[in-house]
Amino acid sequence: MTEMFELNYINYLFSEKTSVTLRQMELIAEGKRTPSTLFTAEKNQLQALFLSSLSLSKSEWVDRMKKLSDLGWLTQEEGRYQITPSGQQSKEAFILNYPLLNCTLEMSDALTRKAFWHWFIFVTQILSEFSYGNKGYIPYISDRLTQNRIKKWLAEQGFPQKPLAFMWADEIKAFLETLPDELGTFIVNQMIGHNYEGMTKRQTAEKHGMTSLEVLLTTEILMDRLSRFFEESDLLKSLWDTVHKSCHYGLSDSAYRSMTFLMNGSSIHSTAAIRKLKENTVKEHVLEAVLISKYTGYKPLIPKEVYDQLRKLFLSEPSLSYAQAQQEIQQLEFFWYRLVEIERIRGCL
């Protein structure tokens, strides 16, 4: 059952535009933040694989892809895997059985969703224990830095802890009421409060008849759904915003620092000099921001005449390669080419 869920899930990740090698699948699943891996995920519509909790070794990937090929769901041509009509039918059936998966997740929220779950559980524990006047509990999160951030967030809400606890409970209750009973129970079972330890991931999997992968995916998707419940949830929205900021809005720490300089008017050259980095490293940070956070302020980084030429070339030849573009534009930087190529893939030209 565990393996079949994994096989169905991997097959579900493929679309008609997906054509990838085994190594590319591995790198995307590992969440590698190199521009080439992020671009491959974008081009092949495999953002969900980048966001997933799927963790397989190289030999396991070989095994799973072989089995998917044997099932006739995927086909391999010149080392690249693509979905078949049979695989598409299986994918549609899988979505019917697991409708939660049929949602659009933002790349920029990948780190936030994971962290938000832990903050959400810890805030619930703190307010629950406070309601009973208990200060001798073992904190759900042991990391001092995160503990201090959460304490600061609680203090910033501007309410005494008792009213805050009631407000928090009301918002959670309102959200749970939007879910089917089974999913509401799924969340409640894992929450921690006064004299209530909550279930482990393994216990949750056993109770709900899920695989460990299903538990992880369901948890993250529910956190995404919770993030869309913010119009009626002031505290939850505030907590999400704080977690999202602490996660650098989805960017790596280094990319976030570079983008802070660039967005304040610094050039790539100046940013590299200030941060003691190579200019190419800063350019990679820009690509990370474009591919993960859909940053749109990059056009001034491309000479206008080059941008106009690239745009024209891509409009006449959507599959334009870098080598072909170099023949038309002298001293063309790959960085410029890639940025405009991303626009073409996203249909923004």
Side-chain angles (χ1 to χ4, degrees), residues 209-253:
M210 293 179 169
T211 66
S212 57
L213 177 60
E214 284 179 85
V215 172
L216 289 170
L217 291 171
T218 301
T219 300
E220 291 186 18
I221 291 170
L222 285 173
M223 288 303 97
D224 181 76
R225 182 177 288 191
L226 184 58
S227 75
R228 301 172 192 277
F229 189 67
F230 288 157
E231 289 184 8
E232 305 168 34
S233 308
D234 294 338
L235 293 178
L236 290 168
K237 182 181 187 309
S238 174
L239 186 67
W240 175 275
D241 290 344
T242 301
V243 177
H244 199 40
K245 182 178 180 180
S246 75
C247 291
H248 304 315
Y249 305 101
L251 299 178
S252 62
D253 179 68

Side-chain angles (χ1 to χ4, degrees), residues 35 117 198 280 322:
W117 170 252
N280 278 342
Y322 178 53

Side-chain angles (χ1 to χ4, degrees), residues 38-275:
L38 291 170
F39 177 74
T40 301
E42 174 95 23
K43 183 178 180 181
N44 291 278
Q45 296 185 345
L46 284 174
Q47 292 94 333
L49 176 60
F50 180 86
L51 301 171
S52 77
S53 300
L54 192 61
S55 178
L56 299 174
S57 66
K58 183 176 181 179
S59 61
E60 287 173 329
W61 270 112
V62 171
D63 173 73
R64 303 302 189 270
M65 300 305 276
K66 182 181 183 302
K67 286 176 178 174
L68 284 165
S69 297
D70 291 343
L71 286 167
W73 294 357
L74 297 182
T75 184
Q76 184 184 174
E77 186 175 341
E78 297 182 354
R80 293 183 171 275
Y81 290 90
Q82 298 174 305
I83 195 167
T84 66
S86 175
Q88 185 63 41
Q89 291 177 357
S90 297
K91 173 180 176 175
E92 291 169 2
F94 184 61
I95 291 174
L96 288 175
N97 289 327
Y98 296 92
L100 265 185
L101 291 173
N102 195 23
C103 62
T104 301
L105 302 177
E106 294 293 331
M107 292 278 277
S108 59
D109 294 342
L111 300 176
T112 305
R113 281 197 308 276
K114 290 179 172 64
F116 182 69
W117 170 252
H118 297 292
W119 285 49
F120 172 74
I121 294 295
F122 191 30
V123 169
T124 301
Q125 180 191 29
I126 291 171
L127 294 176
S128 173
E129 295 290 4
F130 176 82
S131 298
Y132 288 89
N134 181 28
K135 297 183 180 180
Y137 59 92
I138 299 174
Y140 169 72
I141 293 177
S142 59
D143 174 61
R144 287 286 184 179
L145 178 60
T146 305
Q147 285 182 357
N148 290 334
R149 284 175 173 170
I150 291 175
K151 288 177 182 178
K152 181 181 177 183
W153 175 81
L154 287 167
E156 288 173 346
Q157 301 317 300
F159 296 98
Q161 282 197 323
K162 191 168 184 179
L164 192 63
F166 284 116
M167 292 170 64
W168 182 257
D170 286 343
E171 289 192 9
I172 293 176
K173 180 182 177 183
F175 173 66
L176 294 175
E177 288 175 347
T178 69
L179 301 175
D181 290 344
E182 184 176 351
L183 290 178
T185 303
F186 175 88
I187 291 179
V188 172
N189 283 343
Q190 297 178 74
M191 294 174 77
I192 296 173
H194 184 68
N195 289 333
Y196 188 75
E197 292 299 325
M199 291 184 176
T200 63
K201 292 289 189 292
R202 181 184 59 79
Q203 291 170 331
T204 302
E206 290 177 354
K207 176 172 181 178
H208 292 271
M210 293 179 169
T211 66
S212 57
L213 177 60
E214 284 179 85
V215 172
L216 289 170
L217 291 171
T218 301
T219 300
E220 291 186 18
I221 291 170
L222 285 173
M223 288 303 97
D224 181 76
R225 182 177 288 191
L226 184 58
S227 75
R228 301 172 192 277
F229 189 67
F230 288 157
E231 289 184 8
E232 305 168 34
S233 308
D234 294 338
L235 293 178
L236 290 168
K237 182 181 187 309
S238 174
L239 186 67
W240 175 275
D241 290 344
T242 301
V243 177
H244 199 40
K245 182 178 180 180
S246 75
C247 291
H248 304 315
Y249 305 101
L251 299 178
S252 62
D253 179 68
S254 190
Y256 176 72
R257 293 185 185 189
S258 292
M259 293 308 300
T260 299
F261 284 108
L262 292 168
M263 293 173 72
N264 284 327
S266 179
S267 67
I268 287 177
H269 176 77
S270 298
T271 300
I274 294 168
R275 298 206 57 219

